[in-house]
Amino acid sequence: MKNKLYLILLMAAFVHVTAWACHTPQQSAKLNKMYPDWDFVKMMHKAHNQPYKGYQFNGPAACENGQADVFACHNVDLLGHLDLNQIGGGQGSDSWGWKHETSGRYFALVGRSNGTSFVEITDPANPVYLGNLPSTNGQASAWRDIKTYQDHAFIVADDIEHGMQVFNLTRLLNVQGVQTFTPDHLYEGGGFVSAHNIVINEATGFAYLVGGQNNCLGGLHMVNIQNPVSPQYTACYDADGYTHDAQCLIYAGPDSDHLGREICFASNEDTVTIVDVTNKNNPTMLSRTGYNGQQYTHQGWLTADQKYFLIDDELDELVRRDAGLSDHTRTYVMDLTDLDNPVLTGYHEADGVAVDHNQYIVDGHTYQANYIRGLRILKLGDLAAAEMTEVAYFDTYPDPDNTSNFGGAWNVYPFFDNGVVMVSDVNRGVFILRPNLAEIVDIEAHHSGLWINPDQGGHGLSVDVLPNNQMVIFWYTYDTQGNQIWLLGAGSYANNLATLSVNMTRGALFPPLFNSSDVEFTEWGTFEFEVSACDAAKFRWTPNPGLGYEAGSLSMVPLARNAGLSCEQDSE
């Protein structure tokens, strides 16, 4: 739990990221604070009262020699931009995106302190501001959040009496001139007043309104939105108090005990808290896990295989800075192989100073909105060792990065299917960008064959890529006593990563004495086989506890391919 020293450090620095509503009476008691603490309120509003900077867009600019117009960059081009005063004014906040599937048109939904802007970005170089949905009752808030479901936007705000606005996005398709919109519905059910964030599981049609003022101590306020214009309060989860953000989905990760369940991975200020919400009337906490370096567990995102959770802790940089330590951005990695017992594997430290805010993982990369350092894109490596490499960036905040603060990039939306990425910036509005990333190589039939590590002759892998995204790997190796063993991994792959369950075989005799009934199978652990090129892969293994083996990894290259298969053949 956070302690008094934590608050003293923050108050001395006159910085804090969370709205005062983040601290319910219960949370204030944990922090040994008065409720409400109006000095604290003023301090936090001051931290988020960022000055308007403005930017005059001069047309699309390719990233050349580390610059796109006035912005430092690497492998990211500037396609389009609208300034805050062009989209309704106020201060920039969170954002989301929407594509109308029938027409193929693209839209940016941009939160501001005084409302939500709707911008068509189908032609990224010529974004069109369509209009504004004002904040409920005209009240301003630095914290506004937006998600979409079934062609509707769901909008919440913190620190004010706002409710949840529901807006039918198809109304944008026939707009003539700039409009001032009204919501199709305002949800205030179940005692709901405000939220810091909204989370939507599109697979189940449930929204989770978190933080702010609700009947759940700031926890998971669950709303059935299957009929978008008639949201229904369903249930509440408050056993771990305030939730700042979450990701909720139907679980399909490595922990077989929870497959097919609806699970929320909640960033709960001082822990990652995992909750099974399948039964809305009886949600169950699976685990709550802190980590070394924790100061404010702000947000996180799962990898595609749902094995790892990447965490952005919003205050660790500031606390380290005030202690005279490095305040370079850290991204923490938590191994969720066992949802009941997550384990921190470490952290990646960036080469620059910034507070991290929001991140999302797409195609083996995490897209991070890191305030004064703008958009940063990191390629994921061996996450068992918290390995990541920055491969692209676009600094939406060209002012000198002398000290961490809360200006710059608030959010990034990397989920459009046309390669466009949208960033909402606190000081300068909305940026439409295009990263130029090296292509991720997917697992293909040509990866079948024998693989070795050139520095470790004498053992290796036989890899078979099978139909229906299945893979089998035999590892011919040795046990801890020097005896030859076979480890058999079988499982599935997606994109460039295979995750396999592994058995060790023993007990049978050499032919002609072989009898298949003598073969003994021992559950050994897991393999991961991640390709990065036609002729390069990372092989990782994680043994089950108690077997006497250590986890590890090797870089692998092909020794021989199956007959008739080649990289060139697959690429034709």
Side-chain angles (χ1 to χ4, degrees):
M1 294 295 176
K2 293 164 285 297
N3 54 35
K4 202 168 184 178
L5 174 61
Y6 155 86
L7 286 167
I8 292 171
L9 285 169
L10 293 179
M11 294 181 77
F14 273 91
V15 287
H16 197 291
V17 68
T18 55
W20 79 273
C22 289
H23 299 298
T24 61
Q26 293 77 11
Q27 187 66 14
S28 296
K30 289 183 187 179
L31 300 174
N32 195 25
K33 295 293 295 179
M34 295 175 58
Y35 181 86
D37 185 332
W38 294 112
D39 290 335
F40 194 52
V41 172
K42 292 175 183 177
M43 179 184 68
M44 288 184 283
H45 278 276
K46 179 179 179 181
H48 279 81
N49 185 19
Q50 292 292 318
Y52 168 73
K53 295 286 187 177
Y55 165 63
Q56 178 61 51
F57 180 58
N58 298 308
C63 180
E64 297 178 346
N65 301 316
Q67 206 75 16
D69 199 6
V70 300
F71 302 100
C73 62
H74 177 63
N75 288 338
V76 182
D77 297 333
L78 173 62
L79 301 184
H81 175 269
L82 284 177
D83 203 24
L84 282 167
N85 61 15
Q86 297 175 294
I87 58 173
Q91 181 175 293
S93 186
D94 218 322
S95 55
W96 207 244
W98 175 64
K99 177 187 177 184
H100 183 245
E101 294 296 337
T102 303
S103 66
R105 294 165 65 182
Y106 296 86
F107 299 84
L109 319 177
V110 185
R112 309 178 335 276
S113 55
N114 53 351
T116 302
S117 304
F118 300 103
V119 179
E120 180 163 5
I121 58 171
T122 305
D123 178 359
N126 296 286
V128 179
Y129 174 52
L130 302 175
N132 173 49
L133 175 60
S135 185
T136 303
N137 298 324
Q139 301 176 86
S141 169
W143 301 273
R144 191 173 306 277
D145 197 63
I146 310 160
K147 297 296 186 298
T148 59
Y149 174 72
Q150 289 190 354
D151 294 334
H152 287 74
F154 298 81
I155 304 164
V156 298
D158 200 356
D159 205 25
I160 59 174
E161 295 182 2
H162 186 273
M164 177 177 71
Q165 296 174 324
V166 182
F167 181 81
N168 186 340
L169 292 165
T170 62
R171 294 165 59 185
L172 304 178
L173 300 176
N174 299 302
V175 168
Q176 300 293 323
V178 175
Q179 303 290 312
T180 299
F181 295 105
T182 57
D184 292 278
H185 182 79
L186 182 65
Y187 169 80
E188 297 175 301
F192 177 72
V193 176
S194 64
H196 196 77
N197 273 299
I198 176 171
V199 181
I200 292 179
N201 183 359
E202 295 188 33
T204 61
F206 273 86
Y208 300 86
L209 315 183
V210 300
Q213 294 175 266
N214 60 32
N215 62 329
C216 305
L217 304 181
L220 299 171
H221 178 102
M222 308 180 201
V223 185
N224 184 329
I225 59 169
Q226 292 163 7
N227 180 355
V229 294
S230 183
Q232 300 298 314
Y233 170 70
T234 302
C236 174
Y237 179 78
D238 60 7
D240 194 39
Y242 179 87
T243 294
H244 187 271
D245 207 338
Q247 184 181 5
C248 301
L249 44 70
I250 300 300
Y251 181 70
D255 190 340
S256 59
D257 292 342
H258 304 288
L259 288 173
R261 307 290 291 178
E262 185 173 10
I263 307 292
C264 287
F265 299 82
S267 297
N268 274 24
E269 297 194 301
D270 55 356
T271 61
V272 173
T273 299
I274 302 176
V275 184
D276 186 330
V277 295
T278 308
N279 182 347
K280 303 294 183 292
N281 293 317
N282 187 30
T284 304
M285 183 193 299
L286 303 181
S287 60
R288 62 183 310 275
T289 308
Y291 51 92
N292 185 35
Q294 169 273 324
Q295 292 298 335
Y296 194 89
T297 310
H298 174 267
Q299 186 259 2
W301 208 253
L302 290 162
T303 53
D305 60 1
Q306 299 180 14
K307 180 177 180 179
Y308 296 99
F309 189 68
L310 272 60
I311 306 163
D312 40 90
D313 187 303
E314 197 173 17
L315 294 181
D316 60 327
E317 291 86 7
L318 300 178
V319 172
R320 294 198 309 273
R321 182 194 70 187
D322 293 340
L325 304 173
S326 167
D327 58 341
H328 287 203
T329 308
R330 286 183 180 176
T331 302
Y332 296 86
V333 180
M334 194 166 283
D335 186 332
L336 304 183
T337 301
D338 181 355
L339 297 187
D340 303 286
N341 186 32
V343 177
L344 184 75
T345 70
Y347 61 82
H348 170 271
E349 185 162 289
D351 61 0
V353 172
V355 173
D356 42 352
H357 198 232
N358 290 329
Q359 65 179 320
Y360 307 97
I361 296 173
V362 176
D363 292 338
H365 296 81
T366 179
Y367 292 72
Q368 301 182 339
N370 287 352
Y371 279 123
I372 61 171
R373 297 191 80 212
L375 168 66
R376 319 303 288 198
I377 304 176
L378 284 68
K379 182 179 180 181
L380 305 182
D382 182 2
L383 294 182
E387 179 184 289
M388 306 173 215
T389 304
E390 185 175 273
V391 294
Y393 64 82
F394 188 95
D395 190 351
T396 63
Y397 191 88
D399 311 61
D401 297 343
N402 295 326
T403 185
S404 304
N405 68 60
F406 301 109
W410 183 292
N411 195 55
V412 53
Y413 184 81
F415 300 112
F416 288 125
D417 59 8
N418 61 353
V420 169
V421 169
M422 182 262 293
V423 174
S424 55
D425 185 271
V426 176
N427 314 92
R428 293 179 173 86
V430 57
F431 290 81
I432 302 106
L433 309 171
R434 185 183 300 281
N436 301 300
L437 305 179
E439 184 178 357
I440 295 288
V441 176
D442 289 341
I443 292 174
E444 302 281 359
H446 66 246
H447 289 109
S448 294
L450 301 179
W451 291 71
I452 63 167
N453 179 282
D455 298 325
Q456 293 192 12
H459 75 136
L461 309 176
S462 174
V463 176
D464 282 306
V465 180
L466 305 175
N468 301 317
N469 287 77
Q470 299 297 301
M471 178 181 282
V472 171
I473 291 180
F474 285 95
W475 185 9
Y476 307 110
T477 186
Y478 304 86
D479 66 16
T480 56
Q481 305 301 315
N483 302 304
Q484 290 181 332
I485 59 171
W486 288 9
L487 296 176
L488 168 61
S492 61
Y493 66 87
N495 300 321
N496 69 327
L497 178 65
T499 303
L500 314 177
S501 298
V502 181
N503 283 277
M504 180 170 60
T505 61
R506 291 184 183 276
L509 299 175
F510 190 79
L513 302 177
F514 179 83
N515 187 330
S516 59
S517 63
D518 294 334
V519 178
E520 299 173 1
F521 289 89
T522 301
E523 293 185 3
W524 190 88
T526 59
F527 289 164
E528 288 186 348
F529 189 77
E530 183 176 16
V531 303
S532 55
C534 171
D535 55 0
K538 192 80 167 184
F539 175 58
R540 294 183 285 269
W541 61 92
T542 305
N544 291 333
L547 296 179
Y549 297 89
E550 296 183 1
S553 64
L554 287 170
S555 296
M556 309 296 285
V557 297
L559 175 66
R561 299 188 188 281
N562 290 356
L565 296 178
S566 69
C567 298
E568 293 75 16
Q569 182 183 33
D570 267 16
S571 64
E572 289 176 356

